[in-house]
Amino acid sequence: MSKLLRTPLYNWHLAHGGRLVNFAGWSMPLEYSSIIEEHKATRQACGLTDVSHMGRLRFEGPGARAFLDRTLTRRVDDLQLGQLRYSLVTNDQGGILDDVVVGCFPGELGDPVFLVVVNAANRQKILEWVRLRLPDDGEIVVSDLTTIWAMFALQGPRSGEVLRSLVDFEIQKLRRFRGAVVPLRHPARNGCRAIISRTGYTGEDGFEIIVPHGIALAVWEAIMESGEGFGIKPVGLGARDTLRLEAALPLYGQELSAEVNPIEAGLEFACDLEARDFPGAQRIREVMAAGSSRKLVCLASCGRRIARNGHVIVYGNKVVGTITSGTWSPTLERPIAMGYVERPFAAVGTLLEIEVRGHREPAEVVPRPFYRGAHPHIA
Amino acid sequence: MNPEELKFTPTHEWVHVNEADGGWVATVGLTQHAVAALTDLVFLELPKVGQQVQAAKPMGVVESIKAVSDIYSPVDGEVVEVNQAVVDQLNLLSQDPYGEGWLVKIKLSENKLPDGLLDYEGYQKQCAAESY
């Protein structure tokens, strides 16, 4: 096995009880204390997660905007400085290659640069996909900044208060899916800045913070110190998964794959189809017009066994679907799951069963998401 | 119970034997190491009273948010008592795995323990070798 990649927080994780696991080739903390405690801290106060394993790709040059606009499912041509969008990368059949966040920020000389954050497991695949399609006029430069920049997710209702004292910026006025290049007040380094956006993967208010590798540990520690009085906890990938699942946010490799069309995943909103072309756009339009044969649904169980990836969903004696993710919901205190079911069985209120290790667990199709956090109303 | 006086399976169960009515009865539980490694327990399924169990064969299931694990019987015999309290309150298992968190009592079919059980020191060595 090749050596695992380490983020600049590796030693901090070890020193703070982080249970490190191999996640897409990175050594990452699954949990520090308990998934449930870290989950609850994020819902009630805030949690800080090292997400430096996620890929950070920068696109710049006069052709960058148009290139991304014809590569991503969301429009990029009208993306303003400081704006971010959730988008997909699809293949020519409309299958999902990755789900990403694309943002537009001012570069060193004031021209816009585009940052695309991709899943760790898809970084090489997307880089290859992009490089094969780059025009050869040299007007776009693509850089992979993953290993020289670190990235943290500060999530939860107290996040703004925790971050406020660390930046020279009115952070609480940042709207959802907006971001900025922000001067850091602490740690005292001359001129160090962070890219901070009001985004996340927990269903909660919060921020994602990108900093240079060299100050990553100092910034992380400053956030933890600032958050102490607010009940901050370091949060591992275990709780990140339970949080995103309660918010019914899809995970690549579970809900999303090259075999999945955005329409069946319920991601119509992430496809800007009007007067645009991108790989698979025509196929996605066709599926949208005809209706997909299966749909991603949220299932809540009144049983106690957790349905997990690959478990079969049945209606009577008929197999009608497959589970993609399941967990025990710390907020709802019951097992929850997501999975694809045939369309006639996808309506909210449908009573189904999930085969879990030879037992049939009753489950009901419930509205998506399971949990919706309170988001600040800032104009 | 003092863990140093217990026997252990390589699959992280502990066992303690008492004599009762001329036979041997084993109290069985999960080790502190196993419970700590699982964390966030959400479901426990134990065999029923009267059920025959076999050494090194699954007799129950413990599920945490992360994963599902089988619970193996350390001995051959018949289940004579099940700790319903721990099924209803999983925190008994996480807080007191060698005491209130015991799982089942098994009447041994022969008055001897199977080969291959570890003593406390042997089990500690195994855990150290497994840890990451």
Side-chain angles (χ1 to χ4, degrees):
Chain A
M1 195 176 72
S2 63
K3 202 162 171 258
L4 294 180
L5 294 166
R6 295 175 176 185
T7 81
L9 274 303
Y10 175 82
N11 286 320
W12 192 96
H13 299 320
L14 275 183
H16 292 78
R19 201 177 295 217
L20 299 182
V21 296
N22 177 356
F23 188 89
W26 292 78
S27 185
M28 299 302 291
L30 183 62
E31 78 219 342
Y32 300 87
S33 53
S34 126
I35 291 172
I36 294 174
E37 280 172 29
E38 294 165 25
H39 180 110
K40 288 186 170 170
T42 305
R43 290 270 180 258
Q44 290 155 15
C46 63
L48 185 61
T49 304
D50 182 8
V51 291
S52 302
H53 62 299
M54 299 198 73
R56 288 166 293 285
L57 312 180
R58 185 165 68 182
F59 294 74
E60 55 201 309
R65 182 185 288 275
F67 175 75
L68 286 173
D69 192 72
R70 59 178 188 267
T71 304
L72 301 180
T73 59
R74 291 298 290 283
R75 284 183 70 171
V76 179
D77 60 356
D78 64 343
L79 201 64
Q80 295 165 16
L81 280 177
Q83 190 178 10
L84 300 97
R85 275 185 186 142
Y86 174 79
S87 179
L88 305 170
V89 182
T90 43
N91 62 23
D92 293 329
Q93 293 74 46
I96 300 171
L97 295 176
D98 200 8
D99 64 335
V100 306
V101 170
V102 55
C104 178
F105 298 95
E108 290 88 337
L109 304 181
D111 52 335
V113 300
F114 296 87
L115 188 64
V116 179
V117 176
V118 305
N119 280 292
N122 293 335
R123 177 160 63 110
Q124 298 307 337
K125 177 178 76 181
I126 294 301
L127 272 171
E128 227 165 280
W129 176 259
V130 159
R131 285 185 174 142
L132 284 172
R133 282 160 183 77
L134 278 181
D136 54 13
D137 57 13
E139 292 192 357
I140 308 174
V141 173
V142 181
S143 340
D144 180 359
L145 304 173
T146 308
T147 54
I148 63 165
W149 283 0
M151 182 168 171
F152 315 141
L154 176 63
Q155 300 280 297
R158 310 303 294 272
S159 301
E161 293 164 88
V162 170
L163 208 49
R164 189 171 52 183
S165 60
L166 304 176
V167 292
D168 274 323
F169 187 81
E170 285 194 88
I171 201 76
Q172 281 161 304
K173 287 196 175 162
L174 204 60
R175 287 187 285 157
R176 194 118 179 101
F177 278 95
R178 296 285 165 156
V181 182
V182 170
L184 291 170
R185 196 181 286 168
H186 188 91
R189 299 284 172 101
N190 35 353
C192 268
R193 295 183 296 171
I195 296 175
I196 301 184
S197 58
R198 202 154 199 167
T199 48
Y201 190 51
T202 58
E204 215 60 61
D205 183 25
F207 301 86
E208 288 173 306
I209 302 153
I210 294 173
V211 290
H213 192 292
I215 62 162
L217 176 62
V219 174
W220 172 280
E221 286 181 327
I223 298 170
M224 288 301 298
E225 192 188 329
S226 169
E228 212 179 315
F230 297 99
I232 197 171
K233 269 189 191 293
V235 170
L237 297 183
R240 184 168 162 84
D241 190 55
T242 56
L243 288 158
R244 70 93 193 167
L245 196 42
E246 282 188 348
L249 298 167
L251 173 62
Y252 199 89
Q254 314 254 85
E255 284 72 34
L256 309 182
S257 73
E259 279 67 54
V260 169
N261 185 284
I263 305 305
E264 48 196 20
L267 298 175
E268 298 90 330
F269 76 92
C271 300
D272 293 327
L273 291 162
E274 212 172 303
R276 286 184 77 240
D277 195 28
F278 55 82
Q282 193 48 40
R283 179 72 194 128
I284 295 168
R285 283 189 193 98
E286 286 163 18
V287 174
M288 208 165 179
S292 61
S293 56
R294 56 178 189 167
K295 239 193 109 186
L296 184 62
V297 295
C298 287
L299 294 160
S301 174
C302 30
R304 290 186 65 184
R305 294 178 184 84
I306 295 175
R308 295 183 191 267
N309 183 282
H311 288 168
V312 167
I313 306 168
V314 295
Y315 181 83
N317 287 324
K318 183 180 156 63
V319 173
V320 298
T322 311
I323 296 295
T324 49
S325 297
T327 192
W328 187 84
S329 161
T331 304
L332 305 177
E333 299 188 328
R334 63 197 289 200
I336 58 170
M338 289 176 86
Y340 285 98
V341 298
E342 292 175 19
R343 199 147 56 132
F345 304 93
V348 167
T350 309
L351 297 174
L352 300 169
E353 287 177 305
I354 306 165
E355 285 192 355
V356 183
R357 303 186 301 276
H359 298 268
R360 284 193 169 195
E361 293 288 321
E364 183 182 348
V365 179
V366 297
R368 181 175 175 175
F370 298 99
Y371 170 88
R372 205 187 292 273
H375 288 294
H377 300 281
I378 295 168
Chain B
M1 248 169 283
N2 179 356
E4 292 179 24
E5 291 164 12
L6 302 174
K7 295 284 187 199
F8 299 87
T9 64
T11 49
H12 305 286
E13 291 84 14
W14 58 263
V15 53
H16 180 262
V17 174
N18 277 320
E19 282 200 51
D21 307 327
W24 285 20
V25 173
T27 305
V28 176
L30 285 175
T31 67
Q32 173 78 49
H33 177 86
V35 169
L38 287 164
T39 64
D40 302 305
L41 304 177
V42 295
F43 177 67
L44 180 64
E45 190 168 30
L46 297 176
K48 293 188 169 52
V49 170
Q51 195 173 319
Q52 298 293 322
V53 293
Q54 273 180 285
K57 292 279 167 64
M59 64 166 181
V61 164
V62 60
E63 182 155 28
S64 75
I65 288 187
K66 277 178 294 195
V68 183
S69 309
D70 284 321
I71 302 169
Y72 295 87
S73 177
V75 296
D76 293 331
E78 180 185 327
V79 177
V80 291
E81 201 178 335
V82 172
N83 185 0
Q84 190 56 41
V86 77
V87 173
D88 297 333
Q89 286 175 269
L90 293 173
N91 59 341
L92 293 179
L93 178 52
S94 27
Q95 285 160 13
D96 191 10
Y98 299 116
E100 283 189 84
W102 66 275
L103 302 179
V104 292
K105 294 189 181 178
I106 299 166
K107 188 171 188 338
L108 271 60
S109 37
E110 288 178 69
N111 288 349
K112 67 181 181 80
L113 282 172
D115 298 332
L117 293 179
L118 305 163
D119 61 10
Y120 181 71
E121 199 183 329
Y123 179 66
Q124 292 297 102
K125 274 188 194 152
Q126 185 197 305
C127 292
E130 274 180 12
S131 72
Y132 27 86

